[in-house]
Amino acid sequence: MSAAGRPTVRIVEEGMREGMQIESADITLDDKLRLLDALGRTGLESINVGSFVSPKWVPQMAQIDELLARFEPVPGVHYFALALNQKGVERRQEYVGTKLAPDSEIGVTSVHLCDVFVKRNTARGQAEELAAIPQRIESAVARGVTEASIRINAAWGSNWLGGFDLAQRMEHLHLQAAAWKAAGIPVTHTWIGDPMSWNTPGAVEETIRAITEELPEITTFHLHLHDGRGTALLSAYQAFRTLGAEHTLVIDSSIGGMGGCPYCGNGRATKMIPTEDLVHLLEGEGVETGVDLAALIEAAHLAEEVVGHELYGHVSKAGPRPGPDALYAMDMPLVETIEQAQHFRLGAGVYDDCPRPWRAPITSPARPENPQEPTP
């Protein structure tokens, strides 16, 4: 998915993992399956189905094995799952090749800039992450990997330690890149995470420009941005505007915007980029996403039904910009509520009782024909 002069864009759907991990543990397996099936039918190419973690600490993922046993993958969709330790890797391996795609063959090293967050989240500190880098590279060399990804998390700031500057980000990226270079493996990817919603468009642009200048061999940029402070979609768009046609930009998003780590201090308010809003934005910028936006909007409403509360997307509420065959009727009545605004997908019946205060039907010489009321 690319537009002229712009990077190729790939979307990774995180609702079943990042979203579900912060929602109620009482959501039924049947409802999770309904949502996963609906997401698979939207045209999304990459879907995270969940994580293999301890049900003691993340009870929302207690049924991950049952979910994978029951769901039927849609051909052509890249399904994957997160595993944070060796036991999780072993559990996940049972489904690789049948329900889940094989693990990437790219070598990975990772460092959190916030020592507090990583201790809260994984019971390991930054010092332990740094100490593990040589072993991880040695293991990658033994597996025969030919390229690597360097990663930083909590990249722009911490709710406990405050903001981090560009020098800190680049220090930890260069440290990892040098270790891979010493092993003879080129670094072609970077992953940048922001679990505590400290991203801003300017800081994201600054970081990406520095990486392209100082580590030009990196051509794939993967952003995992949280939206607790309302800037994630803006920051992702700034990344899109900053990178060139020689780059690939991977953006994590979540249906309805649901998401958040319970260890970051913001709970469900952490949120993510709503997938439907991201697709709508990219399509408006000339990127052919291959996603059926109408189906994605329906999936967003299903997600609200499944989790039992309103989610955070905009396009699912107001509808996409109407095309020439879907312009609103000019003399439609006043619309006030979110329910009435759903006329774009539910039809005119949702505003049957709304007033029309004008004395005559509204017409315009710019639009000689007034299309029929929308139908569901």
Side-chain angles (χ1 to χ4, degrees):
M1 301 182 291
S2 62
R6 297 298 181 195
T8 297
V9 181
R10 290 169 40 213
I11 299 171
V12 177
E13 168 56 45
E14 285 277 350
M16 297 301 301
R17 199 278 303 181
E18 182 75 57
M20 284 297 168
Q21 76 173 7
I22 201 68
E23 295 293 337
S24 172
D26 295 329
I27 294 173
T28 68
L29 182 58
D30 285 343
D31 277 342
K32 290 179 181 178
L33 282 165
R34 288 170 60 209
L35 181 56
L36 180 54
D37 288 343
L39 290 169
R41 294 192 297 268
T42 62
L44 289 167
E45 295 181 350
S46 184
I47 299 176
N48 191 340
V49 303
S51 54
F52 288 91
V53 290
S54 169
K56 177 181 179 181
W57 301 114
V58 190
Q60 294 90 334
M61 293 293 148
Q63 295 178 307
I64 181 67
D65 290 281
E66 293 90 336
L67 180 75
L68 284 167
R70 286 181 54 183
F71 106 99
E72 291 298 328
V74 174
V77 178
H78 177 94
Y79 295 96
F80 68 102
L82 182 68
L84 295 178
N85 54 37
Q86 186 57 37
K87 183 177 180 180
V89 170
E90 293 170 359
R91 290 171 60 199
R92 180 180 61 183
Q93 190 61 32
E94 295 182 25
Y95 306 96
V96 171
T98 54
K99 302 298 181 75
L100 301 177
D103 291 344
S104 169
E105 295 184 0
I106 295 176
V108 173
T109 53
S110 180
V111 179
H112 284 74
L113 271 64
C114 177
D115 189 52
V116 176
F117 175 78
V118 69
K119 287 177 178 176
R120 290 169 58 88
N121 194 30
T122 67
R124 299 172 72 245
Q126 184 194 80
E128 293 168 285
E129 291 183 313
L130 292 169
I133 288 176
Q135 191 278 327
R136 298 197 71 168
I137 294 178
E138 181 181 343
S139 175
V141 171
R143 296 196 313 273
V145 303
T146 57
E147 56 184 326
S149 172
I150 54 177
R151 303 183 174 191
I152 51 174
N153 207 350
W156 288 282
S158 159
N159 292 337
W160 294 282
L161 301 182
F164 302 122
D165 61 23
L166 179 63
Q168 290 169 292
R169 289 188 285 280
M170 296 308 298
E171 174 189 357
H172 286 90
L173 289 171
H174 277 295
L175 183 152
Q176 295 175 71
W180 285 107
K181 183 178 180 180
I185 297 177
V187 174
T188 56
H189 292 59
T190 188
W191 183 99
I192 308 176
D194 179 40
M196 291 172 279
S197 305
W198 280 67
N199 67 86
T200 64
V204 169
E205 178 182 358
E206 174 189 55
T207 303
I208 287 176
R209 288 197 184 281
I211 294 171
T212 59
E213 292 170 5
E214 299 178 28
L215 296 165
E217 65 274 20
I218 292 177
T219 56
T220 296
F221 293 74
H222 191 150
L223 296 181
H224 184 91
L225 307 177
H226 280 280
D227 197 38
R229 298 178 174 95
T231 56
L233 186 58
L234 293 171
S235 294
Y237 179 66
Q238 193 65 23
F240 171 75
R241 296 279 298 175
T242 302
L243 293 169
E246 69 274 23
H247 298 119
T248 295
L249 174 62
V250 184
I251 304 173
D252 291 348
S253 61
S254 174
I255 192 70
M258 61 177 170
C261 172
Y263 301 106
C264 78
N266 298 125
R268 292 178 191 172
T270 314
K271 300 182 287 187
M272 287 197 75
I273 298 170
T275 306
E276 61 273 22
D277 291 356
L278 175 61
V279 167
H280 188 252
L281 172 64
L282 291 172
E283 293 279 357
E285 292 296 305
V287 177
E288 295 290 340
T289 66
V291 177
D292 182 340
L293 184 56
L296 196 61
I297 287 171
E298 292 303 319
H301 287 279
L302 174 59
E304 292 187 331
E305 178 185 332
V306 166
V307 302
H309 61 85
E310 185 176 344
L311 291 172
Y312 317 107
H314 296 83
V315 175
S316 60
K317 308 297 192 302
R321 290 180 294 273
D325 296 327
L327 294 170
Y328 298 174
M330 289 184 283
D331 60 349
M332 67 181 291
L334 303 183
V335 167
E336 296 178 336
T337 69
I338 296 294
E339 180 184 7
Q340 293 162 2
Q342 296 297 297
H343 63 83
F344 74 93
R345 54 183 284 268
L346 299 178
V350 295
Y351 54 57
D352 274 348
D353 298 326
C354 297
R356 284 181 167 88
W358 33 87
R359 296 179 179 177
I362 294 176
T363 61
S364 170
R367 185 175 159 200
E369 294 184 4
N370 191 0
Q372 298 295 313
E373 298 278 20
T375 56

